[in-house]
């Protein structure tokens, strides 16, 4: 077996192809929270190019659809080489999850690791 460093690895391919896949809510009509913690979020500062690291917290009340967990993991990993601000990343994650599963309500909280003595937390919400 040869190791060709230019070939796309299967994980990179899954991340690139990753979409927010959903499945039917098994308890439509019952209000319940789904809490997802994604502790390995990374992106790049659009101004400096330095890496930014965050824990993303997603809390939502599903309506008819629920987001599949492996899909959201791959989706979040797609940000790692993206130049995007803290504010825009939180808002884009919220918009994409709303577009995928149209929850009754959702909060996305992006808690960024301090860099240069600055700690940023961005929290965005949506409600039907």
């Amino acid at each position: 077996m040869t190791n060709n460093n230019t070939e796309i690895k299967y994980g990179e391919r899954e991340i690139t192809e990753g979409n927010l896949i959903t499945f039917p809510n098994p308890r439509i009509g019952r209000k319940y929270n789904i809490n997802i913690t994604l502790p390995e979020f990374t992106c790049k500062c659009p101004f400096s190019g330095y890496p930014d690291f965050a824990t993303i917290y997603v809390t939502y009340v599903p309506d008819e659809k629920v987001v599949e967990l492996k899909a959201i993991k791959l989706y979040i990993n797609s940000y790692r080489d993206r130049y995007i601000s803290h504010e825009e990343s939180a808002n884009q994650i919220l918009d994409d999850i709303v577009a995928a599963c149209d929850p009754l309500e959702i909060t996305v909280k992006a808690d960024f690791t301090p860099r240069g003595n600055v700690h940023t937390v961005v929290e965005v919400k949506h409600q039907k």
Side-chain angles (χ1 to χ4, degrees):
M1 182 172 121
T2 62
N3 186 1
N4 183 351
N5 289 333
T6 60
E7 90 180 41
I8 296 175
K9 310 292 186 231
Y10 76 90
E12 293 170 324
R13 187 173 51 255
E14 286 181 346
I15 290 167
T16 301
E17 297 169 357
N19 295 313
L20 288 172
I21 298 165
T22 63
F23 60 91
N25 179 356
R27 293 292 181 149
I28 293 175
R30 173 177 287 166
K31 284 186 80 172
Y32 63 97
N33 289 335
I34 297 174
N35 299 296
I36 303 169
T37 302
L38 302 150
E40 298 178 348
F41 179 83
T42 61
C43 63
K44 292 182 180 179
C45 174
F47 306 106
S48 69
Y50 292 140
D52 285 317
F53 305 92
T55 298
I56 305 295
Y57 300 93
V58 177
T59 300
Y60 72 101
V61 178
D63 190 5
E64 295 182 13
K65 295 184 263 182
V66 174
V67 175
E68 196 270 325
L69 294 177
K70 182 179 178 185
I72 198 167
K73 173 189 79 171
L74 295 172
Y75 165 78
I76 287 296
N77 285 338
S78 76
Y79 280 81
R80 71 179 175 202
D81 292 324
R82 194 180 304 186
Y83 295 95
I84 189 168
S85 69
H86 298 171
E87 298 79 8
E88 180 58 19
S89 61
N91 277 283
Q92 188 62 59
I93 292 165
L94 177 100
D95 290 347
D96 291 346
I97 295 173
V98 168
C101 71
D102 195 24
L104 296 173
E105 53 190 77
I106 181 170
T107 300
V108 172
K109 178 180 171 183
D111 186 349
F112 284 86
T113 302
R115 183 163 50 89
N117 200 33
V118 177
H119 178 211
T120 308
V121 178
V122 179
E123 189 171 309
V124 291
K125 299 178 181 199
H126 170 82
Q127 189 169 1
K128 264 187 169 180

